Amino acid sequence: MNQGSAPGWLPQGTRVYAVGDVHGLDHRLADLHFAIATDLAERPVAQPLLVHLGDYIDRGPDSRGALARLRAATLPIINLMGNHEAMALAALDPFATRDDAALWLDNGGAATLRSYGADPRDRATWAAIPDADRAFMAALRPSLALGGYLFAHAGIRPGIPLDRQAVTDLLWIREPFLDHRGPHPAVVVHGHTPAEAPKLLPNRINLDTGAVFGGPLTCGILEEDRIAFLFA
């Protein structure tokens, strides 16, 4: 496996497998989890951690399967919330407005509903999404700080301390985060904005390679001051 220098660092003995946006591609997630398990078996480490960067649902054909796979994972794991999980939770809330539902459906929510056998046009059928999956999404955390990294779905707002970042920015931000060239308090590992290949910059690492649009599903392997990649 080819490794290169990373812009951040992790404590010795810690390895993070960070996975970009899944968007209902459970078969790709299964392949990537297998590759991660294989790598870990070949190169054991004291403290492995699997971090998913959010957007497990919508657009792709098997959101239900992707959530089930995340819930059944056996490695030490932290799952972060993406803006698509936030949209789903808002739309599925008993007090959701028509705008909440429309926003979700316009952004791939119909594919998620169909994966549960629900009809996007008939809200009465949306109860097919079980409470366990709704609770799983509601419990997702917005960010993770570890070593010299901050893991978040979309990014951060430049100039704001990490402990004061708004959840909406962690889940949704693009600009001014993407164009910011100065340092952040930590190197931000994120997804949310598709790119043709992983983007490795001095202040951030983008692991969303547009799997649902035909690109690979990407895992960044972070260890000490090094980085490598797995693709499915």
Side-chain angles (χ1 to χ4, degrees):
M1 177 182 300
N2 293 326
Q3 294 192 3
S5 297
W9 61 274
L10 289 172
Q12 188 173 11
T14 299
R15 183 187 302 151
V16 172
Y17 296 91
V19 178
D21 300 38
V22 176
H23 280 305
L25 299 180
D26 181 54
H27 63 293
R28 295 270 196 94
L29 184 61
D31 289 345
L32 197 55
H33 278 190
F34 179 80
I36 290 168
T38 300
D39 180 69
L40 187 57
E42 294 174 350
R43 302 185 308 120
V45 67
Q47 293 183 306
L49 180 63
L50 179 55
V51 177
H52 294 95
L53 295 171
D55 279 8
Y56 316 116
I57 64 170
D58 297 348
R59 296 184 175 145
D62 197 2
S63 294
R64 180 178 188 171
L67 291 183
R69 190 169 305 280
L70 294 178
R71 291 174 56 200
T74 56
L75 281 176
I77 185 172
I78 292 178
N79 299 310
L80 302 182
M81 183 174 286
N83 62 307
H84 281 260
E85 286 76 46
M87 283 190 286
L89 289 169
L92 293 168
D93 188 280
F95 300 102
T97 66
R98 289 186 178 179
D99 287 345
D100 292 328
L103 179 65
W104 185 40
L105 295 176
D106 288 346
N107 284 278
T112 296
L113 288 164
R114 292 189 189 102
S115 76
Y116 287 91
D119 183 348
R121 299 164 298 179
D122 182 359
R123 191 176 178 89
T125 70
W126 295 13
I129 300 180
D131 290 344
D133 282 359
R134 300 182 192 217
F136 174 85
M137 289 191 287
L140 297 170
R141 55 193 291 178
S143 65
L144 167 69
L146 185 61
Y149 293 104
L150 181 84
F151 300 84
H153 174 65
I156 64 172
R157 186 162 295 276
I160 304 296
L162 296 182
D163 61 356
R164 292 175 53 196
Q165 292 287 328
V167 172
T168 51
D169 284 333
L170 295 169
L171 303 187
W172 286 91
I173 199 168
R174 287 200 167 97
E175 301 301 346
F177 169 68
L178 296 176
D179 280 343
H180 184 75
R181 292 296 176 259
H184 297 302
V187 174
V188 181
V189 182
H190 67 97
H192 185 57
T193 301
E196 291 184 0
K199 282 199 170 183
L200 188 63
L201 300 173
N203 62 358
R204 65 181 179 91
I205 300 170
N206 182 5
L207 297 176
D208 180 4
T209 46
V212 78
F213 303 119
L217 181 61
T218 296
C219 171
I221 307 174
L222 300 164
E223 188 168 7
E224 297 184 0
D225 60 353
R226 303 184 303 278
I227 187 169
F229 298 99
L230 293 172
F231 302 97

